[in-house]
Amino acid sequence: MTLEIPQNQPPGSESTSVVVTESTHHHQAWKWYHYFTFNVDHKVIGIQYLVTAFVFYLIGGLMAIAMRAELATPDADLLDPNLYNAFMTNHGTIMIFLWIVPSAIGGFGNFLVPLMVGARDMAFPKLNAIAFWLNPPAGLLVLASFFFGGSQSGWTAYPPLSLVTAPIAQSMWILAIVLVGTSSILGSLNFVITILFMKVPSMKWDQIPLFCWAILATSVLALLSTPVLAAGLVLLLFDLNFGTSFFKPDAGGNVVIYQHLFWFYSHPAVYLMILPIFGIMSEVIPVHARKPIFGYKAIAYSSLAICLVGLFVWVHHMFTSGTPGWMRMFFTISTLIVAVPTGVKIFGWVATLWGGKIRFTSAMLFAVGLLSMFVMGGLSGVTMGTAPFDVHVHDTYYVVAHFHYVLFGGSVFGIYAGIYHWFPKMTGRMMNETLGRIHFILTFIGTNLTFLPMHELGLQGMPRRVAMYDAQFTHLNEICTIGAYILGLSVIPFTINVLWSWVAGKKAGDNPWNALTLEWTTSSPPLVENWEVLPVVTHGPYDYGVNDRGSKIQSIAANS
Amino acid sequence: MAIATTTSPAHHEEHKDLRVWGLLTFLVSESLMFGGFFATYLFFRGSAEVWPPEGTEVELLVPTINTIILVSSSFVIHFGDAAIKKNNVKGMRFWYILTAIMGAIFLAGQVYEYMTLGYGLTTNVFANCFYIMTGFHGLHVFVGLLLILGVLWRSRRPGHYSATKHTGIEMAEIYWHFVDIIWIILFTLLYILTLF
């Protein structure tokens, strides 16, 4: 029984009188209308990120379907070529900057990291809210740029192309990316400080869940690389609007500098998109295979290794930009080196599955699907990391196939797995398994059908980013388009599943999967401040089979 | 309608103040943005025959005086931090006011330099780099100045800062040092290297 001033009152009761309270209002979850306010609670922000990102996912997906419909025939009969290019550019921009990065890092990171390390919130809650609320304006800028023709220079916005097409739309695009980048930096510094300093005291360094190691590596990478893109985009903005000539070769500028600045961020960006997914995999697989993760330290360190090596591979995007021979050699080698820590992770997961009691829930289906798809994408990535081969397939559909395998078959599958896995924790209700299976089957078939033929198209030399192509590619493109339609359909059962389960799903209970990490020790959805008393860690996060009856984590009073 | 959930001290354990760590992390990130500008500048410098090109030479007198002022202001602001650690709010105010004046002189010197250089942003690639780099740095000096003025504004309230409670003062100091370090690199690249 203590005297205290309640700090987080429900809206409407603006009393600040000192009351004697058992502080029951501490132990409620948020109501639905709180999700539409400038809330500073990490769980609300995480869900805001996820939902916002998902809306953009649908928008970007519709653009992709329009593009595939256009590409079903060799001629530009559905879309005007300029509009096709605008769709192509903004599909890439939206999917990367407004869907995968915000949902994987912002959504899951915000929701899970404080819960996993036993903190009541992030280190800087208000900063966290600021980081989220930079995203919607950025999205609106990207969408509004269509009124000015839409930026048409690809998501890479290489000058001189970006300097001559649709200058107003290109400027809006730049501002949007700078906003998202700022959001990414602010969110990342929050994660770094939270993971390093806010662990519950009883948690040792080797008891931190692997998802948090992944987010730590991601955040360091984002902090080191994002500002460089900001610098490059500022220079591009000045070139567009204020008459400078950084990237205008006829006035003494140099376009390759932009490529360096851009890829110094944007190659690490692809690791930003996959590292959190590696974290999600490391959480989902042990839980559903009922086995301790194989090689905890190896997986944790390989995240940090990817973070470090990932900063030194960016030139492999520029092998055809006239880079000197020594650079090609160096960056070929460093690119192939990245495959090593990635392989360590893959083997760790496969070894975790080996001999486990696997429960093929929807989350697990997506995780296993991810394994196969990501290995495919990774292998085509290794081929392209070698300069001689890359010179041949650069800017063909082989590249498109590769990064869609790792981004769709990797990142998006991982986000789906994460949603199926943590939906009970986020909402307190289970998702429907039947719909989940339908969703998985459609997605898996659709992804392979869409992107597998693209390898062959690329090897035959079909170029990216153009609305029209030679008639010899028609047949394979038709297959791709059918696959894209299936992918479009696959989102429908998922959306229905989420909406219906959120309202009327089966009650989940605190720990439906019998998982051992800390986020499952509180109620579902978690209380406003996560726990009444902070949990005490008594074992590692993956000690499955040690005690199959669930967790041995005891909640004992932290301050008594 | 924002709802802030802070940890109510009577009910929950408090974690230590992490704002300084947060600022340091942010500044590491921020310096990488300048790193992007510097890399661009060095790239152009390495590929040019004559650098800076004919007609866009830099002057050295005003920037050197400016550099001396800014570097010494880093020491001045540190005296202010030392004063507050001895619970001397008055001393802190004195040193911080001095720092603010020095920062303002620096900015005024920058503006004077812009007005007397004789070439503008769009003259050539060197001028592009020069104005972007010094301009962005000047923006950061301005932000640092605002932070210092904010500290001075808050210190008018008795008891707001003390020997045990001065995170805001420290953060303003750290930011000022950051601006100073960036300037030293920038001065080396833009001015001193032109002598060789």
Side-chain angles (χ1 to χ4, degrees):
Chain A
M1 212 50 133
T2 48
L3 280 180
E4 67 164 71
I5 300 168
Q7 297 271 351
N8 48 339
Q9 305 160 359
S13 66
E14 251 63 54
S15 95
T16 51
S17 58
V18 178
V19 287
V20 177
T21 175
E22 286 289 297
S23 65
T24 45
H25 59 257
H26 270 302
H27 310 313
Q28 304 163 351
W30 296 101
K31 299 274 187 296
W32 63 269
Y33 45 80
H34 291 135
Y35 291 90
F36 296 89
T37 58
F38 296 118
N39 200 306
V40 298
D41 184 70
H42 71 97
K43 300 180 290 296
V44 177
I45 293 172
I47 289 174
Q48 284 174 330
Y49 262 116
L50 276 171
V51 172
T52 316
F54 189 74
V55 170
F56 282 114
Y57 174 50
L58 297 181
I59 296 169
L62 286 173
M63 287 181 188
I65 287 172
M67 280 152 58
R68 277 316 325 171
E70 154 68 57
L71 290 169
T73 55
D75 299 325
D77 41 15
L78 183 72
L79 304 172
D80 171 68
N82 287 338
L83 187 61
Y84 174 88
N85 282 346
F87 272 9
M88 176 271 296
T89 300
N90 288 288
H91 162 75
T93 306
I94 286 173
M95 288 305 198
I96 290 166
F97 291 108
L98 294 163
W99 155 238
I100 295 178
V101 172
S103 59
I105 308 177
F108 288 111
N110 268 313
F111 191 92
L112 294 170
V113 164
L115 279 165
M116 279 182 171
V117 298
R120 297 206 178 274
D121 206 323
M122 298 280 280
F124 312 111
K126 275 185 195 160
L127 191 72
N128 206 10
I130 291 169
F132 167 72
W133 285 102
L134 289 173
N135 277 285
L140 291 177
L141 268 173
V142 167
L143 294 179
S145 73
F146 275 96
F147 293 110
F148 302 93
S151 50
Q152 298 162 22
S153 46
W155 81 278
T156 51
Y158 277 7
L161 183 63
S162 53
L163 297 175
V164 296
T165 52
I168 295 176
Q170 197 67 53
S171 302
M172 292 168 87
W173 180 90
I174 290 172
L175 291 173
I177 303 300
V178 170
L179 280 177
V180 177
T182 311
S183 156
S184 177
I185 290 174
L186 298 180
S188 294
L189 83 88
N190 225 331
F191 287 128
V192 170
I193 304 298
T194 305
I195 293 169
L196 292 184
F197 295 100
M198 305 265 292
K199 297 198 315 314
V200 68
S202 54
M203 182 179 273
K204 298 188 194 70
W205 284 101
D206 61 354
Q207 290 174 329
I208 301 177
L210 285 166
F211 180 77
C212 297
W213 282 114
I215 288 284
L216 181 66
T218 310
S219 302
V220 171
L221 202 52
L223 284 168
L224 294 177
S225 59
T226 316
V228 179
L229 175 76
L233 289 180
V234 163
L235 301 185
L236 189 67
L237 193 67
F238 272 71
D239 267 16
L240 267 168
N241 298 301
F242 303 112
T244 59
S245 48
F246 293 103
F247 309 130
K248 293 173 186 164
D250 48 356
N254 189 319
V255 292
V256 177
I257 295 183
Y258 175 82
Q259 298 186 14
H260 278 291
L261 292 173
F262 179 84
W263 287 116
F264 188 82
Y265 164 74
S266 292
H267 190 81
V270 302
Y271 295 125
L272 297 189
M273 287 181 266
I274 201 66
L275 275 169
I277 306 301
F278 288 163
I280 290 172
M281 290 284 281
S282 308
E283 298 300 322
V284 170
I285 284 184
V287 173
H288 294 277
R290 313 308 300 157
K291 258 188 74 188
I293 188 94
F294 181 90
Y296 171 92
K297 277 187 178 160
I299 293 183
Y301 291 150
S302 64
S303 287
L304 301 175
I306 290 175
C307 163
L308 281 177
V309 183
L311 282 168
F312 299 100
V313 297
W314 77 93
V315 175
H316 68 217
H317 295 272
M318 303 158 52
F319 285 151
T320 56
S321 305
T323 45
W326 65 267
M327 223 183 234
R328 287 183 179 186
M329 193 165 76
F330 175 85
F331 284 96
T332 293
I333 293 167
S334 63
T335 304
L336 299 188
I337 286 175
V338 176
V340 176
T342 315
V344 166
K345 284 182 187 298
I346 301 272
F347 281 114
W349 298 325
V350 172
T352 307
L353 291 174
W354 186 267
K357 279 174 68 179
I358 301 177
R359 301 178 294 186
F360 278 109
T361 54
S362 303
M364 191 60 170
L365 283 174
F366 273 101
V368 175
L370 187 150
L371 265 179
S372 59
M373 305 280 293
F374 187 79
V375 168
M376 274 283 304
L379 288 175
S380 62
V382 168
T383 59
M384 277 191 307
T386 53
F389 185 77
D390 179 76
V391 169
H392 176 68
V393 296
H394 183 81
D395 258 345
T396 67
Y397 263 77
Y398 191 87
V399 181
V400 179
H402 156 69
F403 70 66
H404 279 92
Y405 258 86
V406 285
L407 289 179
F408 204 110
S411 298
V412 179
F413 270 54
I415 291 168
Y416 280 149
I419 289 173
Y420 281 106
H421 185 70
W422 281 292
F423 190 86
K425 182 48 62 181
M426 291 176 179
T427 62
R429 295 179 183 275
M430 300 299 283
M431 282 178 88
N432 181 305
E433 285 295 324
T434 316
L435 277 174
R437 292 221 165 120
I438 295 168
H439 172 219
F440 170 73
I441 292 164
L442 284 177
T443 314
F444 194 79
I445 294 172
T447 313
N448 283 296
L449 206 56
T450 312
F451 303 119
L452 198 61
M454 288 185 184
H455 291 103
E456 182 57 25
L457 282 171
L459 289 173
Q460 288 174 16
M462 179 177 166
R464 299 163 70 176
R465 298 180 168 176
V466 279
M468 292 178 271
Y469 54 86
D470 199 281
Q472 60 168 320
F473 303 123
T474 312
H475 182 61
L476 285 172
N477 268 299
E478 281 167 350
I479 298 175
C480 291
T481 300
I482 292 166
Y485 292 160
I486 294 175
L487 271 184
L489 286 176
S490 77
V491 180
I492 295 169
F494 175 74
T495 315
I496 292 170
N497 194 352
V498 166
L499 293 175
W500 182 84
S501 303
W502 208 322
V503 177
K506 202 167 74 197
K507 287 269 189 234
D510 290 0
N511 192 354
W513 311 123
N514 287 325
L516 294 182
T517 39
L518 287 185
E519 77 268 27
W520 302 101
T521 60
T522 180
S523 61
S524 306
L527 311 167
V528 165
E529 293 201 352
N530 296 351
W531 291 276
E532 294 190 31
V533 277
L534 287 181
V536 174
V537 181
T538 55
H539 57 74
Y542 306 108
D543 290 349
Y544 298 103
V546 178
N547 171 4
D548 209 33
R549 302 298 304 157
S551 86
K552 289 198 295 188
I553 297 170
Q554 301 139 14
S555 275
I556 55 174
N559 353 353
S560 59
Chain B
M1 172 73 218
I3 306 170
T5 54
T6 51
T7 314
S8 50
H11 186 68
H12 283 322
E13 62 295 322
E14 294 214 13
H15 64 82
K16 55 179 179 292
D17 197 333
L18 298 169
R19 285 176 294 172
V20 170
W21 287 106
L23 180 69
L24 287 170
T25 316
F26 177 73
L27 292 183
V28 168
S29 191
E30 185 93 49
S31 52
L32 261 292
M33 188 188 79
F34 282 101
F37 293 141
F38 296 161
T40 308
Y41 173 83
L42 286 170
F43 194 104
F44 282 128
R45 183 176 185 273
S47 57
E49 293 288 316
V50 185
W51 194 259
E54 301 280 329
T56 50
E57 286 82 9
V58 286
E59 55 161 335
L60 280 170
L61 179 65
V62 174
T64 309
I65 296 169
N66 251 346
T67 306
I68 293 167
I69 289 171
L70 196 65
V71 173
S72 37
S73 76
S74 251
F75 291 96
V76 173
I77 200 168
H78 183 72
F79 291 141
D81 184 55
I84 195 70
K85 284 190 172 132
K86 293 198 186 79
N87 223 351
N88 178 359
V89 178
K90 241 186 166 145
M92 185 280 291
R93 282 179 64 82
F94 169 76
W95 294 115
Y96 268 60
I97 289 170
L98 197 56
T99 313
I101 292 168
M102 289 165 107
I105 292 173
F106 176 88
L107 282 178
Q110 280 285 58
V111 172
Y112 173 79
E113 192 191 355
Y114 284 178
M115 286 162 68
T116 54
L117 264 181
Y119 54 86
L121 171 69
T122 57
T123 308
N124 61 22
V125 175
F126 176 80
N128 296 166
C129 288
F130 174 85
Y131 278 100
I132 288 263
M133 283 156 70
T134 52
F136 262 79
H137 177 265
L139 199 66
H140 282 77
V141 176
F142 184 70
V143 170
L145 200 60
L146 290 183
L147 291 178
I148 291 169
L149 291 176
V151 164
L152 288 169
W153 181 256
R154 286 185 169 190
S155 67
R156 288 161 57 255
R157 257 183 295 168
H160 188 82
Y161 291 124
S162 66
T164 50
K165 192 163 134 306
H166 52 260
T167 312
I169 294 178
E170 271 193 341
M171 285 171 77
E173 187 203 3
I174 290 168
Y175 191 87
W176 198 252
H177 290 323
F178 159 78
V179 165
D180 195 24
I181 291 164
I182 294 288
W183 176 256
I184 290 170
I185 301 169
L186 205 154
F187 185 74
T188 309
L189 291 178
L190 269 178
Y191 296 93
I192 296 178
L193 280 184
T194 57
L195 299 174
F196 301 105

